[in-house]
Amino acid sequence: MNATEMVAKHEIQSGPADEASHFVLTFENNRHASELFGQFDEHLKLLEKQLSVTAVPRGNAVALSGSTLATHQARRALDYLYEQLQKGVQLEKSDVEGAIRMAQAADDQLTLPTLERKARLSMSQISTRKKSIAARTPAQDAYIRAMERNELVFGVGPAGTGKTYLAVAYAAQLLERGAIEKIILSRPAVEAGERLGFLPGDMKEKVDPYLRPLYDALYDMIPGERVERAMTAGVIEIAPLAFMRGRTLTNAAVILDEAQNTTSMQMKMFLTRLGENSRMVVTGDPSQVDLPRGVKSGLVEALSVLDGVEGVSTNRFTDKDVVRHPLVARIVAAYEGRLVPSTGGDDD
């Protein structure tokens, strides 16, 4: 029995999306119901704000009122979140926001009135022994599915959309399952011109500041002591882009972050390192190129050259996919609306 059938007793007045609807959802597990509603019913208040519904808790039940469309979206979001609680997931505000986004997106994709609305949400997930994360936007869902199906995936879009975090999480999942033998993380050190010799410390210390976002995602998915052991053993490798030349990367998950700051030659060199049983993910934001004026971005060129090539997937994110603080999404939208993106001079 699925979560919706098990937890919900619905009294639904069906009708057009703009008609009023009222029904009650009853959840069998009182503790899960309390966690679902949130401390001081904060999750229900978020549901009310985002979907323009009224959600009134009554013990282990909640009465939903609003338009037919909005109340059905609220029901799908709550059913999904309750199902996650049954699996042992601890809900955070971002999980609730993600479920609401996905519930709305499921209806936005229905362009024909004859299409039936989905009763339940289905989101792609990445899981390790330490943590499980689910897609929080349709773009994230498509991105995770693309990494499962393709050997080379591009994740392109603004900061805060989860493209780098999800790529590292997926690599950690592959490593834990034994599908690959190592993870290789790379990033162009544009600020130092990739001439890192003048910086103090060994190579790891020189490039660490540039790779901090990748480290953060690794430690989020894998226990810290295991990360340290894996790095010592070379199972997790930090490889500055300038040091990748001449290598063939087999049985590995390879991630290139901040790829908008690669040159055309660097990008071609990196992409041709792909070996047997390897997966490669390239992430970047073409609107934030830091290359010298007149130097073409390797990411921008690759997106054009590889368009339509079998085995390559390009996934684009927008400000609507920002999963950080809501203000970040508004900042991204404001900049995209008022500023002409820089693409290194030759890419307009």
Side-chain angles (χ1 to χ4, degrees):
M1 182 178 294
N2 63 42
T4 301
E5 294 170 336
M6 181 166 59
V7 305
K9 299 176 182 177
H10 300 157
E11 300 171 5
I12 304 174
Q13 300 174 1
S14 59
D18 57 352
E19 285 189 2
S21 176
H22 172 82
F23 57 91
V24 177
L25 289 176
T26 303
F27 302 92
E28 292 183 346
N29 187 302
N30 291 338
R31 180 172 62 84
H32 287 342
S34 176
E35 293 171 347
L36 176 63
F37 300 162
Q39 189 175 19
F40 305 115
D41 300 326
E42 60 180 348
H43 296 162
L44 295 182
K45 292 175 183 177
L46 183 59
L47 204 73
E48 290 180 320
K49 179 180 178 181
Q50 297 291 348
L51 295 177
S52 298
V53 297
T54 299
V56 181
R58 301 171 180 172
N60 65 332
V62 57
L64 295 173
S65 302
S67 72
T68 299
L69 175 62
T71 53
H72 279 254
Q73 290 173 345
R75 183 201 69 203
R76 285 200 298 271
L78 288 172
D79 282 344
Y80 169 79
L81 292 168
Y82 185 81
E83 196 174 44
Q84 297 304 106
L85 286 167
Q86 288 180 310
K87 295 177 181 178
V89 175
Q90 292 185 338
L91 293 187
E92 299 177 1
K93 180 182 177 182
S94 55
D95 297 314
V96 180
E97 292 172 336
I100 294 171
R101 283 196 196 97
M102 296 298 286
Q104 291 174 313
D107 284 315
D108 290 342
Q109 293 168 358
L110 297 175
T111 56
L112 298 176
T114 56
L115 291 178
E116 182 181 355
R117 301 188 188 282
K118 295 181 179 179
R120 300 174 64 230
L121 293 181
S122 177
M123 304 186 198
S124 298
Q125 294 191 343
I126 298 173
S127 298
T128 63
R129 282 192 288 267
K130 181 179 180 182
K131 187 173 184 179
S132 292
I133 54 176
R136 293 175 180 170
T137 70
Q140 286 192 352
D141 184 70
Y143 185 48
I144 294 173
R145 295 179 192 276
M147 288 189 287
E148 292 172 344
R149 297 170 182 169
N150 298 276
E151 294 172 302
L152 173 58
V153 174
F154 288 92
V156 182
T161 52
K163 55 189 185 296
T164 299
Y165 183 88
L166 290 175
V168 177
Y170 184 69
Q173 175 183 269
L174 291 179
L175 182 65
E176 188 173 273
R177 293 180 178 178
I180 58 171
E181 295 177 356
K182 68 187 310 181
I183 295 174
I184 300 174
L185 308 176
S186 187
R187 196 177 189 187
V190 168
E191 294 84 349
E194 298 229 20
R195 291 185 294 272
L196 302 171
F198 70 92
L199 294 174
D202 59 20
M203 181 52 63
K204 180 179 180 298
E205 292 171 332
K206 293 174 190 292
V207 300
D208 268 1
Y210 302 102
L211 295 159
R212 194 71 257 169
L214 305 180
Y215 282 128
D216 291 343
L218 271 177
Y219 282 104
D220 220 14
M221 300 301 295
I222 304 174
E225 65 278 5
R226 290 188 58 206
V227 173
E228 297 297 336
R229 289 199 303 268
M231 293 183 67
T232 301
V235 174
I236 297 177
E237 179 183 349
I238 308 302
L241 182 59
F243 288 35
M244 298 285 284
R245 191 175 301 277
R247 300 184 61 182
T248 300
L249 307 174
T250 60
N251 298 309
V254 191
I255 298 170
L256 175 61
D257 191 32
E258 296 290 341
Q260 74 275 5
N261 290 327
T262 61
T263 65
S264 297
M265 290 299 294
Q266 286 174 330
M267 178 61 76
K268 181 180 178 182
M269 176 273 292
F270 178 81
L271 295 177
T272 53
R273 301 307 95 198
L274 186 66
E276 292 294 325
N277 190 40
S278 287
R279 297 295 180 93
M280 187 173 281
V281 182
V282 178
T283 66
D285 181 0
S287 71
Q288 297 195 42
V289 176
D290 296 318
L291 294 169
R293 182 173 296 277
V295 177
K296 190 178 186 68
S297 168
L299 175 61
V300 173
E301 182 182 60
L303 293 174
S304 175
V305 171
L306 300 179
D307 184 35
V309 173
E310 184 178 354
V312 178
S313 174
T314 299
N315 296 263
R316 299 183 184 275
F317 297 82
T318 70
D319 61 279
K320 294 181 180 179
D321 300 302
V322 172
V323 292
R324 291 180 186 168
H325 192 286
L327 180 57
V328 176
R330 295 195 292 272
I331 291 171
V332 171
Y335 269 87
E336 288 183 346
R338 297 175 188 173
L339 300 182
V340 178
S342 169
T343 55
D346 293 342
D347 304 321
D348 291 342

